[in-house]
Amino acid sequence: MNTNKIPVTFRKRMILYNLLMIICIAFAISIYTYSFYKKDAIASEAANSANRLHLVSSRLEIAWDELINIVQNCAGRKSLFLTSILSGRDGHSEKSSIYAADVLKDFCAISGYNQYIHKITVYKKDSFLIQAGASYGSWNDGDSIMAAPWFDELLQKNMQEYTLTLKDNPFPLDAKTVPKLMPLIRPLAYSETESPRDAWVCLTLSPRLFQDTLELLSQDKSILILTSDFSPVSSMNMEEFSLADLEGVLGAHRDRTGSLRVRLSDRDCILTWERLSVSGLILCEVLPLESIALNPKAIQATIGLVFLSSIIIGLSLSLLFTRYLTRPIVRLIEHMDVISSGDFSRNPDIESNDELGIIGRQINEMSSHVSALMENRIRDEQEKMNLEIKMLQAQINPHFLYNTLDSIKWIATMQHSTGIVRVVSALSSLLKNMAKGFNEKVTVRQELDFLDNYITIEKIRYIELFDVDITVEDPALYDAGIIKLTLQPLVENSIFSGIEPSGKPGLIQIHIYSRDQVLYISIRDNGVGISRENIDRMLTDTSRVTKHYMSGIGLPNVDRRIKLVYGQEYGLAIDSEVGVYTCVTVSLPLEFQKHEM
């Protein structure tokens, strides 16, 4: 399998990561720019819609003011064109009525809205009926008006109320062609009659005024004019939208003007409205969002410019940043190559006050330490070589001593000196085992045999100063593993530090047992004992090694050997009472190995 790969440098990765981040940021900025542009376009169209409605409302308010002025003049002032009629019946009353009708017609014409006044009727019971307007009059129009269901309601309105409502046409002659009119009725203030029904003026307005006003606007707009009770008066391009939905929105918002984003007939729209204060009419425009003209070329150019600018600026900054960042990294790599070639000299150029400079300082310190370690290792290797030579030289003496002791043993045998034979044999076995090393593992049986040789020599030396009692709870423990020369130093310590100073014969008890997979060996003597303060430093004071002892291994060394081999939870434990006893307990993991023959 080919493991060669194209190396990707840190700088390339940084540039790639930064480029991806820049693209994401540029994309987000582009999205935001588009959203802002669209939102601004919607707000602009909503403002234009409000301006259009305000233009229409201004025209309609001017028209309504003129029409109200006509009604007020007819109802509230005893004008010149009615003086002759109201003065009584004489020979000139017919001519005066004709004159008054002409004056009323001219008065309507002067307002500029004569074509939208369907009919204006001035009526006084049993006196006169004067009419003008775009529609023909009839002698019974007064009765038709008073018979309309809305007549009394409108006649009783406050003199300051001029709210428009859409009502059925009361005139039979043109009711089919003009089914709906907008009436305004006021009683004649100068009439001497007791009932308002006996003298009044009625102006009926044609809805065509509002339709003609809407036609002055662009024909692609959706505009609707409603009365205060949400009756449609005039509309343009409103066929797709539900009047019930509009009524629900406008009914919930009673502000004079407003603009909302709503959903009408399953389409997202901007609804703009304005309420006329006098007539109570409601003008509203519905602007579907999809109809808002967005300039795609301008959007593409803007987004493209923003995107490319973000990429160019971000990439330039990324190159500068990665160059600044990778320069010290390159110096670190070059210095590491120098170190790998074996040169551990310090390089001050890789040290600075930033994080990479701290790394460079640590590398310099590490190279200095490595150089020192290599020098120490060379020195240690040299010392090890010298030590091995000395060890080889030291092995000559034990072998020579083995041969000499073997010769002494045969001479003593020939002379029947059994005591000399026993001592020489025991000493030969001791020297032979000691020469093999201290950390070798043996069985408990082998360790006890080695200990028996040592005890044989010491008993002859001290003329039966002590006895040794060995107890093994389970015979299987003879095959348990133990580090060689573990028991001999402990028995040696019991003889020379416990029994010998007491000046009387003593007993050394060795108890071998196991608990929970742990092998315990206790060595107890009835010597002088150890004080409590001496017990605390017994296992840590290496100066207590007595060089004239046979093994030369003290209790601290035995404890350290066990902990190094088996772990810190194992080792020696000392319990003693001054003048009574001393007990040293060895704890080892219970391991079995084959008995060597």
Side-chain angles (χ1 to χ4, degrees):
M1 179 178 179
N2 186 11
T3 58
N4 295 329
K5 296 182 178 180
I6 299 176
V8 180
T9 63
F10 175 77
R11 185 178 185 185
K12 290 181 180 179
R13 286 199 299 269
M14 286 292 297
I15 293 175
L16 178 61
Y17 297 154
N18 289 340
L19 184 60
L20 292 176
M21 183 174 64
I22 292 167
I23 291 175
C24 293
I25 294 174
F27 184 74
I29 294 175
S30 301
I31 295 294
Y32 173 78
T33 303
Y34 173 77
S35 301
F36 180 80
Y37 180 87
K38 185 175 181 180
K39 183 178 179 180
D40 184 68
I42 292 174
S44 176
E45 286 296 329
N48 293 336
S49 176
N51 291 334
R52 282 192 294 271
L53 293 183
H54 185 68
L55 176 63
V56 174
S57 67
S58 299
R59 290 176 177 271
L60 293 179
E61 283 182 340
I62 293 173
W64 190 231
D65 288 342
E66 290 290 338
L67 296 175
I68 290 175
N69 185 53
I70 294 174
V71 174
Q72 287 177 338
N73 285 328
C74 292
R77 292 167 45 185
K78 195 174 182 179
S79 57
L80 294 176
F81 63 87
L82 294 177
T83 302
S84 59
I85 298 176
L86 298 175
S87 62
R89 296 181 180 277
D90 54 21
H92 301 284
S93 60
E94 182 177 354
K95 183 182 295 186
S96 299
S97 298
I98 295 173
Y99 171 75
D102 290 339
V103 173
L104 181 61
K105 185 182 298 183
D106 292 340
F107 190 61
C108 292
I110 292 173
S111 68
Y113 298 98
N114 184 52
Q115 69 272 28
Y116 302 114
I117 300 176
H118 182 266
K119 196 174 294 186
I120 181 171
T121 303
V122 182
Y123 171 82
K124 185 177 181 182
K125 185 179 181 181
D126 299 330
S127 179
F128 59 84
L129 175 66
I130 303 174
Q131 289 184 312
S135 178
Y136 293 104
S138 174
W139 62 272
N140 61 347
D141 282 347
D143 295 334
S144 298
I145 293 174
M146 289 187 290
W150 40 264
F151 175 77
D152 292 323
E153 175 189 352
L154 298 182
L155 188 63
Q156 298 300 324
K157 277 191 173 183
N158 187 289
M159 291 299 293
Q160 301 303 320
E161 293 185 34
Y162 297 98
T163 304
L164 284 175
T165 55
L166 201 60
K167 303 296 183 180
D168 292 332
N169 189 345
F171 307 113
L173 292 179
D174 55 4
K176 292 183 179 180
T177 56
V178 186
K180 297 289 183 179
L181 294 173
M182 306 180 78
L184 180 61
I185 302 175
R186 286 291 181 268
L188 298 180
Y190 47 83
S191 173
E192 298 175 354
T193 59
E194 296 180 357
S195 175
R197 290 179 61 90
D198 294 339
W200 44 263
V201 57
C202 175
L203 187 148
T204 51
L205 181 65
S206 172
R208 191 163 54 86
L209 167 65
F210 307 99
Q211 189 64 38
D212 290 348
T213 304
L214 293 181
E215 289 178 357
L216 297 176
L217 303 176
S218 176
Q219 297 301 303
D220 60 343
K221 306 302 178 183
S222 299
I223 301 178
L224 176 65
I225 301 178
L226 303 170
T227 61
S228 58
D229 59 356
F230 302 108
S231 298
V233 177
S234 182
S235 65
M236 183 169 63
N237 302 323
M238 290 296 296
E239 296 81 5
E240 301 179 6
F241 304 101
S242 170
L243 180 61
D245 294 342
L246 287 172
E247 182 177 348
V249 176
L250 295 173
H253 297 82
R254 308 301 299 181
D255 301 334
R256 184 175 181 273
T257 61
S259 181
L260 285 176
R261 183 170 177 172
V262 295
R263 190 165 183 82
L264 301 174
S265 302
D266 296 328
R267 298 172 68 183
D268 289 329
C269 306
I270 299 295
L271 174 63
T272 307
W273 73 88
E274 182 172 348
R275 285 184 169 88
L276 277 63
S277 57
V278 178
S279 63
L281 294 177
I282 304 173
L283 282 69
C284 59
E285 179 176 348
V286 179
L287 181 65
L289 293 183
E290 67 267 17
S291 67
I292 297 177
L294 300 177
N295 190 340
K297 292 184 178 180
I299 294 176
Q300 293 173 2
T302 303
I303 293 178
L305 180 62
V306 170
F307 189 83
L308 290 177
S309 300
S310 301
I311 292 294
I312 293 173
I313 295 174
L315 189 59
S316 301
L317 293 176
S318 177
L319 291 173
L320 292 175
F321 171 74
T322 53
R323 182 180 179 184
Y324 173 79
L325 184 63
T326 55
R327 185 178 299 171
I329 295 177
V330 171
R331 287 199 293 264
L332 289 175
I333 295 174
E334 292 174 351
H335 184 64
M336 294 300 292
D337 291 337
V338 173
I339 292 176
S340 64
S341 64
D343 184 1
F344 297 99
S345 59
R346 194 178 191 91
N347 183 4
D349 293 338
I350 65 174
E351 298 183 10
S352 60
N353 294 325
D354 55 14
E355 290 81 355
L356 292 175
I358 294 174
I359 296 175
R361 191 177 300 112
Q362 295 295 330
I363 290 176
N364 280 334
E365 293 179 359
M366 180 190 67
S367 60
S368 299
H369 293 163
V370 170
S371 179
L373 288 174
M374 291 186 67
E375 292 177 0
N376 291 335
R377 182 171 180 180
I378 293 173
R379 185 170 57 253
D380 292 343
E381 290 292 335
Q382 186 65 39
E383 292 180 356
K384 182 179 177 181
M385 184 181 300
N386 295 334
L387 183 60
E388 288 179 352
I389 294 173
K390 291 180 180 179
M391 291 177 63
L392 291 173
Q393 292 175 348
Q395 286 181 358
I396 298 174
N397 294 331
H399 287 292
F400 176 75
L401 188 58
Y402 301 154
N403 296 331
T404 303
L405 290 175
D406 189 59
S407 298
I408 294 173
K409 183 182 73 171
W410 284 110
I411 293 173
T413 300
M414 293 174 64
Q415 295 180 359
H416 303 287
S417 299
T418 56
I420 297 176
V421 173
R422 288 175 57 199
V423 173
V424 170
S425 298
L427 180 59
S428 178
S429 297
L430 280 175
L431 292 176
K432 182 178 181 181
N433 282 282
M434 290 173 65
K436 290 182 179 179
F438 293 143
N439 291 331
E440 178 185 350
K441 288 185 180 181
V442 296
T443 63
V444 171
R445 188 189 310 277
Q446 291 172 321
E447 181 71 2
L448 291 176
D449 290 342
F450 175 71
L451 181 63
D452 183 62
N453 292 327
Y454 172 74
I455 293 172
T456 299
I457 296 174
E458 294 300 333
K459 278 189 174 185
I460 294 174
R461 176 183 178 185
Y462 286 99
I463 314 173
E464 304 297 335
L465 177 64
F466 63 91
D467 288 323
V468 178
D469 181 22
I470 301 175
T471 302
V472 180
E473 286 189 357
D474 185 358
L477 297 179
Y478 281 108
D479 292 325
I482 186 173
I483 300 176
K484 188 171 70 173
L485 286 178
T486 297
L487 300 182
Q488 184 271 333
L490 304 182
V491 173
E492 185 178 61
N493 183 75
S494 295
I495 296 172
F496 293 106
S497 297
I499 296 175
E500 183 182 14
S502 68
K504 60 181 180 179
L507 176 64
I508 299 175
Q509 295 174 310
I510 300 175
H511 184 201
I512 302 175
Y513 59 98
S514 64
R515 301 286 188 273
D516 299 327
Q517 296 301 310
V518 178
L519 176 64
Y520 295 99
I521 304 175
S522 65
I523 295 90
R524 180 187 179 98
D525 66 77
N526 56 355
V528 295
I530 306 172
S531 63
R532 178 57 56 185
E533 54 272 15
N534 287 335
I535 291 178
D536 295 336
R537 60 187 179 86
M538 180 68 70
L539 298 180
T540 58
D541 189 1
T542 56
S543 65
R544 296 181 60 85
V545 177
T546 54
K547 297 301 180 181
H548 64 278
Y549 291 173
M550 185 172 183
S551 67
I553 301 175
L555 266 64
N557 285 345
V558 175
D559 183 64
R560 189 178 302 110
R561 289 167 60 209
I562 294 175
K563 283 181 167 53
L564 288 174
V565 174
Y566 297 111
Q568 295 296 320
E569 64 270 27
Y570 301 102
L572 302 185
I574 301 175
D575 182 27
S576 181
E577 183 177 347
V578 177
V580 181
Y581 73 93
T582 298
C583 182
V584 179
T585 302
V586 181
S587 61
L588 305 166
L590 184 59
E591 300 175 347
F592 290 96
Q593 60 187 51
K594 294 181 179 180
H595 176 66
E596 296 181 2
M597 298 301 293

